[in-house]
Coordinates of all heavy atoms in Angstrom, one line a residue:
V733 N 11.8 35.4 122.6 CA 12.2 35.9 124.0 C 11.6 37.3 124.2 O 11.8 37.8 125.3 CB 13.7 35.9 124.2 CG1 14.3 34.6 123.9 CG2 14.4 37.0 123.3
K734 N 11.0 37.9 123.2 CA 10.5 39.3 123.4 C 9.5 39.4 124.5 O 8.6 38.5 124.6 CB 9.9 39.7 122.1 CG 9.7 41.2 121.9 CD 9.2 41.6 120.5 CE 10.3 41.1 119.5 NZ 9.9 41.5 118.1
G735 N 9.7 40.3 125.4 CA 8.8 40.5 126.5 C 9.3 39.8 127.8 O 8.8 40.0 128.9
R736 N 10.3 38.9 127.6 CA 10.8 38.1 128.7 C 12.2 38.4 129.0 O 12.6 38.4 130.2 CB 10.6 36.6 128.5 CG 9.2 36.1 128.3 CD 9.2 34.6 128.2 NE 9.9 34.1 127.0 CZ 10.9 33.2 127.1 NH1 11.3 32.8 128.3 NH2 11.5 32.8 126.0
F737 N 13.0 38.7 128.0 CA 14.4 39.0 128.2 C 14.7 40.5 128.0 O 14.0 41.2 127.2 CB 15.3 38.2 127.2 CG 15.3 36.7 127.4 CD1 14.5 36.1 128.3 CD2 16.2 36.0 126.6 CE1 14.5 34.7 128.5 CE2 16.2 34.6 126.8 CZ 15.4 34.0 127.7
T738 N 15.7 41.0 128.6 CA 16.2 42.4 128.5 C 17.7 42.4 128.4 O 18.4 41.9 129.3 CB 15.7 43.3 129.7 OG1 14.3 43.2 129.8 CG2 16.1 44.7 129.4
I739 N 18.2 43.0 127.3 CA 19.6 43.2 127.1 C 20.0 44.6 127.5 O 19.3 45.6 127.3 CB 20.0 42.8 125.7 CG1 21.5 42.8 125.5 CG2 19.4 43.8 124.7 CD1 22.0 42.2 124.2
S740 N 21.2 44.8 128.1 CA 21.7 46.1 128.4 C 23.2 46.0 128.3 O 23.9 45.0 128.3 CB 21.3 46.5 129.8 OG 21.8 45.5 130.8
R741 N 23.8 47.2 128.2 CA 25.3 47.3 128.2 C 25.7 48.5 129.1 O 25.1 49.5 129.2 CB 25.8 47.5 126.7 CG 25.2 48.8 126.1 CD 25.6 48.8 124.6 NE 27.0 49.1 124.3 CZ 27.5 49.0 123.1 NH1 26.8 48.7 122.0 NH2 28.8 49.3 122.9
D742 N 26.9 48.3 129.6 CA 27.6 49.3 130.4 C 28.9 49.6 129.8 O 29.8 48.8 130.0 CB 27.7 48.9 131.9 CG 28.2 50.0 132.8 OD1 28.9 50.9 132.3 OD2 27.8 50.0 134.0
N743 N 29.0 50.7 129.0 CA 30.2 51.0 128.3 C 31.4 51.3 129.2 O 32.6 51.0 128.9 CB 30.0 52.1 127.3 CG 29.1 51.7 126.2 OD1 29.0 50.6 125.8 ND2 28.3 52.7 125.7
A744 N 31.1 51.8 130.4 CA 32.2 52.2 131.3 C 32.8 50.9 131.9 O 34.0 50.9 132.2 CB 31.6 53.1 132.4
K745 N 32.0 49.9 132.2 CA 32.4 48.6 132.8 C 32.8 47.6 131.8 O 33.2 46.5 132.1 CB 31.4 48.1 133.8 CG 31.2 49.0 135.0 CD 30.1 48.4 135.9 CE 29.9 49.3 137.1 NZ 28.9 48.7 138.0
N746 N 32.5 47.8 130.5 CA 32.8 46.9 129.4 C 32.0 45.6 129.6 O 32.5 44.5 129.5 CB 34.3 46.5 129.3 CG 35.1 47.8 129.2 OD1 34.7 48.7 128.6 ND2 36.3 47.7 129.7
T747 N 30.7 45.7 130.0 CA 29.9 44.5 130.2 C 28.6 44.6 129.4 O 28.1 45.6 129.1 CB 29.5 44.4 131.7 OG1 28.8 45.6 132.2 CG2 30.8 44.2 132.6
I748 N 28.1 43.4 129.2 CA 26.8 43.2 128.5 C 26.0 42.2 129.3 O 26.5 41.1 129.7 CB 27.0 42.6 127.1 CG1 28.1 43.3 126.3 CG2 25.6 42.7 126.3 CD1 28.8 42.4 125.4
D749 N 24.8 42.6 129.7 CA 23.9 41.8 130.5 C 22.7 41.3 129.8 O 22.2 42.0 128.9 CB 23.5 42.5 131.8 CG 24.6 42.7 132.8 OD1 25.7 42.1 132.6 OD2 24.4 43.4 133.8
L750 N 22.2 40.2 130.2 CA 20.9 39.6 129.7 C 20.1 39.2 130.8 O 20.4 38.2 131.5 CB 21.2 38.5 128.7 CG 19.9 37.9 128.0 CD1 19.4 39.0 127.0 CD2 20.2 36.6 127.3
Q751 N 19.1 39.9 131.2 CA 18.1 39.5 132.2 C 17.1 38.6 131.6 O 16.4 39.0 130.6 CB 17.5 40.8 132.8 CG 16.4 40.4 133.9 CD 17.0 39.8 135.1 OE1 18.1 40.2 135.6 NE2 16.4 38.7 135.6
M752 N 16.9 37.4 132.1 CA 16.0 36.4 131.6 C 15.0 36.1 132.6 O 15.3 35.6 133.7 CB 16.8 35.2 131.1 CG 17.9 35.4 130.2 SD 18.7 33.9 129.6 CE 19.4 33.3 131.1
N753 N 13.7 36.4 132.3 CA 12.6 36.1 133.2 C 11.6 35.1 132.5 O 11.7 34.9 131.3 CB 11.8 37.4 133.5 CG 12.7 38.4 134.2 OD1 13.5 38.1 135.0 ND2 12.4 39.7 133.9
S754 N 10.8 34.6 133.3 CA 9.8 33.6 132.9 C 10.4 32.6 132.0 O 9.9 32.3 130.9 CB 8.7 34.4 132.1 OG 8.1 35.3 132.9
L755 N 11.5 32.0 132.4 CA 12.2 31.0 131.6 C 11.4 29.8 131.3 O 10.6 29.3 132.2 CB 13.5 30.6 132.3 CG 14.6 31.7 132.2 CD1 15.7 31.5 133.3 CD2 15.2 31.7 130.8
K756 N 11.6 29.2 130.2 CA 10.9 28.0 129.7 C 11.9 26.9 129.4 O 13.1 27.2 129.1 CB 10.1 28.4 128.4 CG 9.1 29.5 128.6 CD 8.5 29.8 127.2 CE 7.5 31.0 127.4 NZ 6.9 31.3 126.1
P757 N 11.5 25.7 129.4 CA 12.4 24.6 129.0 C 13.1 24.8 127.7 O 14.3 24.4 127.5 CB 11.5 23.4 129.0 CG 10.5 23.7 130.0 CD 10.2 25.2 129.8
E758 N 12.4 25.4 126.7 CA 13.0 25.6 125.4 C 14.0 26.7 125.4 O 14.7 26.9 124.4 CB 11.9 26.0 124.4 CG 10.9 27.1 124.8 CD 9.6 26.5 125.4 OE1 9.7 25.5 126.2 OE2 8.5 27.0 125.1
D759 N 14.2 27.4 126.5 CA 15.3 28.3 126.6 C 16.7 27.7 126.9 O 17.7 28.3 127.0 CB 15.0 29.4 127.7 CG 13.9 30.3 127.3 OD1 13.8 30.7 126.2 OD2 13.1 30.6 128.2
T760 N 16.6 26.4 127.2 CA 17.8 25.6 127.6 C 18.8 25.6 126.4 O 18.4 25.3 125.3 CB 17.4 24.2 127.9 OG1 16.7 24.2 129.1 CG2 18.7 23.3 128.2
A761 N 20.0 26.1 126.6 CA 21.0 26.2 125.6 C 22.3 26.7 126.2 O 22.3 27.1 127.4 CB 20.5 27.2 124.5
V762 N 23.3 26.7 125.4 CA 24.5 27.4 125.7 C 24.4 28.8 125.2 O 24.1 29.0 124.0 CB 25.8 26.7 125.2 CG1 27.0 27.5 125.5 CG2 25.9 25.3 125.7
Y763 N 24.6 29.8 126.0 CA 24.5 31.2 125.6 C 25.9 31.8 125.4 O 26.8 31.7 126.2 CB 23.7 32.0 126.7 CG 22.2 31.7 126.7 CD1 21.7 30.4 127.1 CD2 21.3 32.7 126.2 CE1 20.4 30.2 127.0 CE2 20.0 32.4 126.2 CZ 19.5 31.2 126.6 OH 18.1 30.9 126.6
Y764 N 26.0 32.5 124.3 CA 27.3 33.1 123.9 C 27.2 34.6 123.8 O 26.2 35.1 123.2 CB 27.7 32.5 122.5 CG 28.0 31.0 122.5 CD1 26.9 30.1 122.2 CD2 29.2 30.5 122.8 CE1 27.2 28.8 122.1 CE2 29.5 29.1 122.7 CZ 28.4 28.3 122.4 OH 28.6 26.9 122.4
C765 N 28.2 35.2 124.3 CA 28.3 36.7 124.2 C 29.0 37.0 122.9 O 29.9 36.3 122.5 CB 29.0 37.2 125.4 SG 29.4 39.0 125.4
N766 N 28.6 38.1 122.2 CA 29.2 38.5 121.0 C 29.3 40.0 120.9 O 28.4 40.8 121.3 CB 28.4 38.0 119.8 CG 28.9 38.5 118.5 OD1 28.2 39.4 117.9 ND2 30.0 38.0 118.0
I767 N 30.5 40.5 120.4 CA 30.6 41.9 120.1 C 31.1 42.0 118.6 O 32.1 41.4 118.3 CB 31.6 42.6 121.0 CG1 31.2 42.5 122.5 CG2 31.8 44.1 120.6 CD1 32.1 43.1 123.5
K768 N 30.4 42.8 117.8 CA 30.7 42.9 116.4 C 30.9 44.4 116.0 O 30.1 45.2 116.3 CB 29.5 42.3 115.6 CG 29.7 42.2 114.1 CD 28.5 41.6 113.5 CE 28.1 40.3 114.1 NZ 26.9 39.7 113.5
G769 N 32.0 44.6 115.4 CA 32.3 46.0 115.0 C 31.7 46.3 113.6 O 31.5 45.4 112.8
A770 N 31.4 47.6 113.4 CA 30.8 48.0 112.2 C 31.8 47.7 111.0 O 33.0 47.7 111.2 CB 30.5 49.5 112.2
Y771 N 31.2 47.4 109.9 CA 31.9 47.2 108.6 C 32.9 46.0 108.7 O 33.9 46.0 108.1 CB 32.7 48.5 108.2 CG 31.8 49.7 108.2 CD1 31.9 50.7 109.1 CD2 30.7 49.8 107.3 CE1 31.1 51.8 109.1 CE2 29.9 50.9 107.3 CZ 30.1 51.9 108.2 OH 29.3 53.0 108.2
G772 N 32.6 45.0 109.6 CA 33.4 43.9 109.7 C 34.8 44.1 110.3 O 35.7 43.3 110.1
T773 N 35.0 45.1 111.1 CA 36.3 45.4 111.7 C 36.7 44.3 112.7 O 37.9 44.1 112.8 CB 36.3 46.8 112.3 OG1 35.1 46.9 113.2 CG2 36.2 47.9 111.2
Y774 N 35.7 43.8 113.4 CA 36.1 42.7 114.4 C 34.8 42.0 114.7 O 33.7 42.4 114.5 CB 36.7 43.2 115.6 CG 36.0 44.4 116.3 CD1 35.0 44.1 117.2 CD2 36.4 45.7 116.1 CE1 34.3 45.2 117.8 CE2 35.7 46.7 116.7 CZ 34.7 46.5 117.6 OH 34.0 47.5 118.2
N775 N 35.0 40.8 115.3 CA 33.9 39.9 115.7 C 34.4 39.0 116.7 O 35.1 38.0 116.4 CB 33.3 39.1 114.5 CG 32.0 38.4 114.7 OD1 31.4 38.7 115.7 ND2 31.7 37.5 113.9
Y776 N 34.0 39.3 118.0 CA 34.5 38.5 119.1 C 33.4 37.7 119.8 O 32.3 38.1 119.9 CB 35.1 39.4 120.2 CG 36.3 40.2 119.7 CD1 36.2 41.6 119.6 CD2 37.5 39.7 119.3 CE1 37.2 42.4 119.1 CE2 38.5 40.4 118.8 CZ 38.4 41.8 118.7 OH 39.5 42.6 118.3
W777 N 33.8 36.5 120.2 CA 32.9 35.5 120.9 C 33.4 35.1 122.2 O 34.6 34.9 122.4 CB 32.6 34.3 120.0 CG 31.9 34.6 118.7 CD1 32.4 34.9 117.5 CD2 30.5 34.5 118.6 NE1 31.4 35.1 116.6 CE2 30.2 34.8 117.2 CE3 29.4 34.2 119.4 CZ2 28.9 34.9 116.7 CZ3 28.1 34.3 118.9 CH2 27.9 34.6 117.5
G778 N 32.5 34.9 123.2 CA 32.8 34.2 124.4 C 32.8 32.7 124.3 O 32.4 32.2 123.3

């Protein structure tokens, strides 16, 4: 996905975005959001 996708975060709004351009059929999937704390403190999934 390098060069096609861009990830960003807004700490004030508690959001994570993924801009996906030039999409291909092989990009078809279920996409999951994840937040992982340092040293295994937490690991959350959407």
Side-chain angles (χ1 to χ4, degrees):
V733 308
K734 198 170 299 181
R736 299 188 297 121
F737 292 10
T738 302
I739 189 170
S740 61
R741 62 189 285 173
D742 188 330
N743 293 328
K745 297 181 178 180
N746 307 326
T747 58
I748 316 146
D749 289 350
L750 184 69
Q751 178 65 45
M752 305 185 294
N753 298 325
S754 303
L755 284 162
K756 305 174 180 179
E758 49 263 45
D759 294 319
T760 296
V762 177
Y763 284 69
Y764 298 90
C765 176
N766 172 256
I767 302 179
K768 187 181 304 178
Y771 311 110
T773 50
Y774 52 84
N775 189 17
Y776 300 114
W777 292 89

